[in-house]
Amino acid sequence: MTPPPPDPSTHDTPAGRERSAAARVALAVCAALAFAGFFALGTWQVERRAWKLDLIARVEQRVHAPASEAPGRDRWPQVNAAADEYRHLRIAGTFLHDKETLVQASTRLGAGFWVLTPLQAADGSVVLVNRGFVPPEARDRATRAATDPQGDTTVTGLLRITEPKGGFLRRNEPAAERWFSRDVQAIAAARGLHNVAPYFVDVEAAPSPPGASPAWPAGGLTVIAFPNSHLAYAITWYGLALMVLGAAWYVWRDGRRHAAGRADGGSGENTAHADATSRPDARRD
C-alpha cells in the first residue's frame, strides 16, 4: 500500500513561516515590555527604600535632639512635614483651659480622647498643645482640673503637622463637638482663636515613679512608625522580571527545538517518499 503524500504543515509553508515569525516577534516585544516594567518598578522600590531610610534617620535625629524654640510667626508659612515634623520643641505661655478640645484617640492605654489645649505666648500667638490622653471616664475636665497647669508654663514636645478634615471615613463635626482628627484650623475656628500656629505639639511624658498610675492627661504617647516594606516589594518586582526572562527563554528554546525537529522529520519523510516512488517495482494498491 502506497503511503499517502505528506500533508505539509502550515509551518512549512511560506505563509505559515511568516505567521510563526510574527508571533515570535510579538512575544519577544511583550516579554521585553513586561521585563522593563517589572525592572523599573523594582528599581523604584529600591529608591523609595533609600528615601524612607533617610527619612527615618532624620526623624530619629530630630526626636532625640535637644529641645529648640518653636517656629515663630515669621516661620509659620514655611513649616512643613518634610522639614519640621517630629522636631523636638520647647514652648512657653499660658494654657487657655476653657478652650480645650477633646479628639477621639486610640492608644496603647485604650480608647479615649486627646486633650488639645491652646497655649498663648506673651506675643499673643497661640499653639495648640496635645497635653495627652484621657480615658472616657476622665473626659470631663472637672475630674482632672487639679492637674491643669496654671500661669506661665513651659512645655516640651514634638511638632506635629495639622490633620485636616477628619479621620478614616469620619469627618469632624465641630457643631456637634465630635472631633476625629487634630485639625488645627478647624479647632481654632470653633474656639474663636486667632494667630494660631499651623501645627500642634505633642507633649512629652511627665516623669512619674515606676508602677504609678498615669496622671491624666497622659503625655508621651506619640507613635513614630514608618512602614518600610520597600525591600520586599523590590524583590517581588525583580523576581517577576526574572520570571519573564525565564519564560521567554523557555519559549524561545522550545520553538527552536520544534523547528529543528520539523526540519529533520520533513527531510526524512521526503527522502523516503522519493525512494519509494522511484522504484520500478513499487507496489500500488
Side-chain angles (χ1 to χ4, degrees):
M1 181 178 178
T2 304
D7 182 16
S9 170
T10 56
H11 292 286
D12 294 331
T13 65
R17 286 194 294 272
E18 289 179 4
R19 286 195 297 272
S20 180
R24 287 197 296 272
V25 170
L27 180 63
V29 170
C30 291
L33 290 175
F35 174 81
F38 290 143
F39 188 85
L41 288 170
T43 302
W44 176 62
Q45 288 296 334
V46 169
E47 294 171 352
R48 290 280 297 171
R49 180 175 182 270
W51 169 82
K52 183 65 68 66
L53 291 175
D54 179 66
L55 172 64
I56 293 172
R58 283 188 283 116
V59 168
E60 285 292 320
Q61 183 181 21
R62 293 174 193 170
V63 170
H64 297 102
S68 59
E69 294 297 327
R73 275 189 281 191
D74 57 331
R75 275 209 58 220
W76 287 356
Q78 287 78 45
V79 172
N80 61 81
D84 298 292
E85 189 159 30
Y86 300 109
R87 192 178 296 281
H88 194 193
L89 301 180
R90 178 179 57 254
I91 55 176
T94 302
F95 277 116
L96 307 179
H97 294 291
D98 60 324
K99 296 183 182 297
E100 77 173 22
T101 300
L102 299 180
V103 180
Q104 288 198 9
S106 179
T107 73
R108 60 181 175 82
L109 298 179
F113 304 90
W114 298 122
V115 178
L116 266 70
T117 308
L119 183 72
Q120 188 170 47
D123 64 356
S125 62
V126 175
V127 176
L128 286 184
V129 176
N130 177 13
R131 295 176 54 218
F133 169 84
V134 294
E137 60 269 21
R139 66 175 299 170
D140 188 349
R141 184 171 163 246
T143 64
R144 48 184 167 78
T147 63
D148 287 346
Q150 303 296 325
D152 292 338
T153 305
T154 299
V155 298
T156 56
L158 302 179
L159 184 151
R160 303 295 309 280
I161 301 299
T162 182
E163 301 166 348
K165 297 183 179 179
F168 181 67
L169 298 179
R170 296 183 296 182
R171 298 182 66 86
N172 293 324
E173 300 177 35
E177 284 299 320
R178 283 197 285 268
W179 299 91
F180 302 101
S181 73
R182 291 162 290 189
D183 186 336
V184 171
Q185 287 75 20
I187 292 173
R191 296 292 178 264
L193 300 170
H194 304 283
N195 297 323
V196 180
Y199 56 84
F200 64 94
V201 174
D202 279 350
V203 298
E204 296 176 338
S208 61
S213 299
W216 309 122
L221 298 178
T222 305
V223 176
I224 303 175
F226 298 95
N228 187 13
S229 302
H230 300 295
L231 180 59
Y233 295 150
I235 292 173
T236 299
W237 292 123
Y238 283 143
L240 289 172
L242 289 176
M243 289 174 63
V244 168
L245 276 184
W249 175 81
Y250 176 82
V251 171
W252 173 81
R253 187 192 64 172
D254 194 57
R256 296 256 311 187
R257 186 169 62 243
H258 282 296
R262 286 196 303 270
D264 293 343
S267 174
E269 289 174 0
N270 291 339
T271 301
H273 180 64
D275 290 344
T277 55
S278 63
R279 290 169 54 188
D281 58 344
R283 295 179 56 189
R284 298 181 183 272
D285 295 334

